[in-house]
Amino acid sequence: MKCISRLFQPLITIPKNAKIKNSEITCKSQKLLLELGLIKPTGSGLFSLLPLAKRAADKLEAVLCRHIEAVGGQRLSLPTLTASSLWEKTGRLNDVGPELITLEDRHEHKYLLAPTHEETIADLLADTALSYKQLPLLLYQISNKYRDELRPKHGLLRAREFLMLDAYGIHGSIECATQTYQRVTDAYSNAFKELQLPVLRVEAPTGDMGGSFSHEWQLCASAGEDVTSVCPSCSHAKLRDEDGDICETCNREMQAFNSIEVGHTFVLGTKYSAPLGAKLVPPSGAACAVVMTCFGIGVTRLLAASLEALSTDTSLRWPTTIAPYSVIIIGPKEGSNEWPHGWERVTDVYEELSKSAAFRDDVIVDDRHHLTIGKRLMMADRVGYPLIVVCGKSASTGKYEVYRNGNSQLMTLEELTEGEKRITNKI
Ligand SMILES: [Zn+2]
């Protein structure tokens, strides 16, 4: 049985007068994740994801993997340590410059901790005999990436080490690349829809990455450092122009929102494949460089951004599919009238819910019986468990108080599991 009493969740209280500490806490996802024991900083812009946050990140990964594999994504794993010479060949060693974390091995070979892997993918393909029949090819990975932020802040929103899903499309022509781009970005839209997050697809400059065009994926939240303009009529979105924006289609003034960039997607062309020799031999004619696309989603950033968008100032709120546990069970207080059979009842409820299709292996028990139900209810609400099941007075009649979004309802376990027709990816 998974129990709160054994869970590694070091709660902290940030004293009101701790001025230095407080000034480093700049947004609510950071504050709540810290206070509620889900993350712990180990240095500037570096965080440990503790068990509850790790479960949520794993669930988020699973959602993203499912959507990208639905459009042909094949998962692989590339080394983080990347030879600097690859980045020299594409000119990015200079372009990205101080944001790169670079190092040297004992043989004085130079490396960097990759913030992204276009060079590595192009280099991988250069040594591979690619057949037209394999195209388009969509390769992706989820790994820690590194960026030496000048000022890391907002906790997981701007960290120096972060989890990112990066996908790379390989194509024989720009037409094929454009089709893949549409398919994969549609898959991303579907993933955000499943997470019930209002993420906007916004045209964006290509910047250091290069390529022919790109979109940023922006989630509206007050802690965001970007500003997105949205047309109130047709929902067309773009990055804000300093002078204000008018939607060209509707001729209406667009509304500006603070937003967080959670992803960036590009049609890259041959910027990486040409200098690194990732070529394709067509059925007739000479070998030519492959056309690449790339699709990045910051996993830990999306996790924090979704908390920014959904949480209150005092309580975490998750997209239901990625909450660390779907259900928490709270039993009676030790010594209360309900207590004599209380623990047995909690065990039964745990067993039944854990084996149900809706909540398989996704249930935890707050077994701190010395605390009142009210106190544990409050804690469960702050952590944001989507469903809280209380085995209280009515439990003897087979009914349980079930809390969802602050509302409670008396239900049997069958009503609870049957009512929960969710498409959730269970760990
Ligand atoms: Zn419009």
Side-chain angles (χ1 to χ4, degrees):
M1 187 186 288
K2 286 171 178 149
C3 292
I4 295 284
S5 66
R6 303 190 58 80
L7 181 68
F8 183 61
Q9 185 191 5
L11 303 178
I12 59 163
T13 313
I14 300 163
K16 284 206 173 73
N17 57 358
K19 281 184 184 146
I20 295 168
K21 252 302 166 41
N22 268 334
S23 72
E24 290 167 4
I25 296 172
T26 48
C27 65
K28 65 184 170 192
S29 64
Q30 181 189 17
K31 174 174 180 283
L32 293 170
L33 288 169
L34 273 171
E35 284 184 350
L36 295 169
L38 276 76
I39 61 171
K40 203 158 191 329
T42 64
S44 171
L46 299 171
F47 293 90
S48 300
L49 295 185
L50 304 184
L52 287 178
K54 174 64 177 151
R55 271 186 75 90
D58 286 349
K59 286 184 172 187
L60 180 53
E61 269 193 30
V63 171
L64 298 174
C65 288
R66 186 152 37 76
H67 284 277
I68 198 154
E69 297 208 354
V71 290
Q74 301 176 47
R75 190 167 180 174
L76 45 62
S77 175
L78 303 165
T80 296
L81 213 51
T82 304
S84 298
S85 57
L86 290 181
W87 281 57
E88 245 167 345
K89 286 184 189 159
T90 58
R92 268 214 292 191
L93 200 58
N94 279 329
D95 294 346
V96 180
E99 283 194 354
L100 287 174
I101 296 179
T102 55
L103 58 157
E104 218 174 72
D105 70 9
R106 66 175 79 192
H107 306 294
E108 295 177 5
H109 294 146
K110 292 184 163 56
Y111 293 88
L112 54 90
L113 297 179
T116 174
H117 283 82
E118 286 74 19
E119 281 83 354
T120 309
I121 284 282
D123 183 54
L124 176 74
L125 296 172
D127 294 334
T128 317
L130 262 187
S131 147
Y132 255 88
K133 288 183 185 159
Q134 291 167 280
L135 303 187
L137 191 60
L138 184 62
L139 301 173
Y140 80 100
Q141 64 165 350
I142 298 177
S143 64
N144 281 357
K145 308 290 192 295
Y146 299 83
R147 190 178 298 147
D148 197 359
E149 294 282 357
L150 187 58
R151 285 182 204 88
K153 63 172 173 176
H154 295 341
L156 298 180
L157 288 178
R158 191 172 288 283
R160 295 199 294 167
E161 177 172 338
F162 49 96
L163 195 59
M164 190 166 107
L165 181 157
D166 44 330
Y168 304 90
I170 321 299
H171 319 273
S173 68
I174 188 75
E175 291 75 25
C176 179
T178 310
Q179 281 167 17
T180 300
Y181 187 81
Q182 193 57 47
R183 256 202 344 268
V184 178
T185 50
D186 283 349
Y188 276 17
S189 295
N190 291 338
F192 295 131
K193 215 175 282 172
E194 178 178 337
L195 295 164
Q196 297 182 302
L197 292 173
V199 177
L200 299 164
R201 175 184 146 138
V202 181
E203 278 174 30
T206 52
D208 287 338
M209 286 284 281
S212 47
F213 64 92
S214 86
H215 291 94
E216 285 181 8
W217 298 75
Q218 294 278 353
L219 176 61
C220 293
S222 57
E225 294 180 324
D226 294 335
V227 181
T228 302
S229 292
V230 184
C231 171
S233 294
C234 69
S235 302
H236 173 69
K238 56 183 283 194
L239 291 175
R240 184 178 62 172
D241 194 308
E242 291 296 320
D243 307 324
D245 287 302
I246 302 287
C247 175
E248 287 174 15
T249 324
C250 314
N251 197 27
R252 284 196 64 173
E253 195 172 332
M254 299 172 87
Q255 290 174 324
F257 297 95
N258 279 71
S259 58
I260 301 165
E261 182 192 345
V262 294
H264 204 156
T265 52
F266 298 81
V267 173
L268 293 169
T270 57
K271 171 168 174 175
Y272 301 90
S273 54
L276 291 164
K279 285 182 199 151
L280 191 65
V281 183
S284 61
C288 57
V290 295
V291 176
M292 286 173 64
T293 48
C294 78
F295 310 87
I297 292 187
V299 179
T300 36
R301 184 186 281 191
L302 177 58
L303 185 82
S306 67
L307 295 172
E308 285 297 329
L310 304 175
S311 300
T312 69
D313 285 342
T314 50
S315 304
L316 288 172
R317 289 294 176 269
W318 308 83
T320 312
T321 42
I322 68 162
Y325 286 91
S326 294
V327 187
I328 185 166
I329 302 168
I330 297 176
K333 184 172 191 284
E334 203 164 0
S336 68
N337 290 340
E338 292 76 35
W339 173 251
H341 302 291
W343 181 243
E344 237 169 85
R345 184 74 65 178
V346 168
T347 313
D348 291 347
V349 172
Y350 179 84
E351 294 291 326
E352 189 151 339
L353 292 182
S354 296
K355 66 175 205 265
S356 72
F359 307 118
R360 197 175 306 284
D361 299 329
D362 206 19
V363 184
I364 192 164
V365 173
D366 192 339
D367 58 333
R368 295 170 300 174
H369 303 121
H370 59 285
L371 300 176
T372 62
I373 289 180
K375 170 94 179 160
R376 284 176 287 161
L377 209 46
M378 195 188 72
M379 283 303 300
D381 181 66
R382 285 201 74 198
V383 175
Y385 297 98
L387 287 165
I388 306 171
V389 176
V390 177
C391 299
K393 287 194 179 72
S394 58
S396 56
T397 64
K399 295 226 172 188
Y400 303 88
E401 280 165 69
V402 177
Y403 289 79
R404 189 199 308 259
N405 299 326
N407 302 313
S408 79
Q409 197 182 352
L410 274 181
M411 292 174 107
T412 64
L413 292 184
E414 202 179 9
E415 285 166 343
L416 176 62
T417 52
E418 285 301 305
E420 206 64 17
K421 300 282 185 208
R422 299 173 312 145
I423 314 158
T424 319
N425 204 50
K426 298 297 176 190
I427 292 167

